[in-house]
Amino acid sequence: MTATQTCSKLTPQQVRDYHDNGFMVLEHALTTEEVTQLQSEAVAICRGDRGVLQGAVGDHTHEDDDQVMQQYLCIHFPHKISQVALNAIKHPNIVGPLSQVISPDVKCMQSMLFIKASGKPGQAWHQDEYYIPTRDRSLTGAWIAMDDATVENGCLWVIPGSHKHGILWPQHQHDDRRFDCAGEAGGYPYTDDDAIPALLLEEVGRPGPGAARLAGPGLAEAPLGADEAEAEGVPAVGVALALGAIE
């Protein structure tokens, strides 16, 4: 699939694989030009060029773009101040597949801009549905990669098939400094050996920036931004959407 082709229509096998595994990767969901626009927009949002940010850390006039981005981890609801972010939510290569695996009628509950620089905390094992519950367990996260997402810089990890129990596993507090202050799921019949990395990187046969990862109510973990990324100056940046069926 080239960067200009669309993936708005899933094959029956892709739909079956999604429901079997609980997640899928859409190669080249966005074009290179669209990703470049999102990257530039992320800088503008963090600089405050699109409006006042809740939790803004100060005046960035004399800081370069990398210095600005390293001061932020997550910005909630960027689509409310950014037309570019809103366009990403409504992108046919995101909405189309979601309408096949969730429902013909899809509603966006939340959007987030993640900037995970080296050393920034990740999130322990969790289910998005725990935070945004739906009556039919239809909540699905769509994460659009704006950089390579590798094991070294803290890509998402998932446990295939962990959604099939239909259970929201209880959460407990933790003191693991690799992760943020959100709770950690527990009591599930899995170990870390059952997890696989959801890699989104530009290699032969693998999707890079512009790919999208869809994940349902199963277990997922996002480690901290690894130290190896600091030497290379490679953050992991992405736009995340939480979506569910309209009842």
Side-chain angles (χ1 to χ4, degrees), residues 13-131:
Q13 185 60 53
Q14 286 177 305
V15 174
R16 286 193 294 270
D17 289 345
Y18 172 83
H19 289 297
D20 283 342
N21 297 317
F23 77 98
M24 70 183 308
V25 174
L26 303 174
E27 298 185 15
H28 305 297
L30 273 67
T31 66
T32 301
E33 292 75 16
E34 289 169 330
V35 172
T36 299
Q37 188 179 28
L38 274 173
Q39 291 169 336
S40 298
E41 189 70 4
V43 174
I45 291 171
C46 290
R47 283 191 175 278
D49 295 343
R50 299 295 180 263
V52 177
L53 291 178
Q54 183 178 2
V57 296
D59 183 8
H60 302 304
T61 304
H62 303 294
E63 297 171 331
D64 64 32
D65 291 347
D66 287 340
Q67 291 173 321
V68 173
M69 297 287 278
Q70 288 171 4
Q71 298 177 60
Y72 292 92
L73 176 62
C74 179
I75 295 171
H76 288 262
F77 302 105
H79 73 278
K80 292 186 176 181
I81 59 173
S82 167
Q83 184 62 47
V84 174
L86 181 60
N87 291 343
I89 290 176
K90 300 188 294 184
H91 199 290
N93 286 349
I94 302 298
V95 176
L98 286 168
S99 67
Q100 289 181 261
V101 299
I102 300 178
S103 164
D105 300 309
V106 178
K107 178 181 181 179
C108 182
M109 315 290 192
Q110 176 178 270
S111 67
M112 292 182 286
L113 172 63
F114 282 108
I115 307 115
K116 191 196 291 185
S118 174
K120 290 288 188 180
Q123 187 174 1
W125 286 112
H126 67 283
Q127 297 163 284
D128 288 346
E129 184 90 30
Y130 183 91
Y131 302 100

Side-chain angles (χ1 to χ4, degrees), residues 67-239:
Q67 291 173 321
V68 173
M69 297 287 278
Q70 288 171 4
Q71 298 177 60
Y72 292 92
L73 176 62
C74 179
I75 295 171
H76 288 262
F77 302 105
H79 73 278
K80 292 186 176 181
I81 59 173
S82 167
Q83 184 62 47
V84 174
L86 181 60
N87 291 343
I89 290 176
K90 300 188 294 184
H91 199 290
N93 286 349
I94 302 298
V95 176
L98 286 168
S99 67
Q100 289 181 261
V101 299
I102 300 178
S103 164
D105 300 309
V106 178
K107 178 181 181 179
C108 182
M109 315 290 192
Q110 176 178 270
S111 67
M112 292 182 286
L113 172 63
F114 282 108
I115 307 115
K116 191 196 291 185
S118 174
K120 290 288 188 180
Q123 187 174 1
W125 286 112
H126 67 283
Q127 297 163 284
D128 288 346
E129 184 90 30
Y130 183 91
Y131 302 100
I132 310 176
T134 61
R135 293 182 181 179
D136 58 357
R137 296 288 191 270
S138 64
L139 188 79
T140 301
W143 189 81
I144 302 170
M146 295 160 60
D147 286 311
D148 283 349
T150 68
V151 171
E152 289 72 26
N153 70 2
C155 69
L156 187 83
W157 288 69
V158 295
I159 299 180
S162 58
H163 63 297
K164 292 183 177 180
H165 298 276
I167 296 172
L168 291 182
W169 303 103
Q171 287 199 357
H172 61 271
Q173 294 302 307
H174 63 83
D175 56 4
D176 192 328
R177 298 183 64 183
R178 296 175 301 166
F179 305 120
D180 62 21
C181 61
E184 180 177 17
Y188 47 80
Y190 301 102
T191 70
D192 287 354
D193 291 337
D194 297 308
I196 62 172
L199 299 173
L200 300 176
L201 64 160
E202 195 61 65
E203 292 183 358
V204 176
R206 294 189 177 185
R213 187 267 307 158
L214 309 183
L219 289 157
E221 177 190 61
L224 83 168
D227 291 338
E228 289 84 352
E230 185 172 13
E232 302 176 11
V234 182
V237 183
V239 176

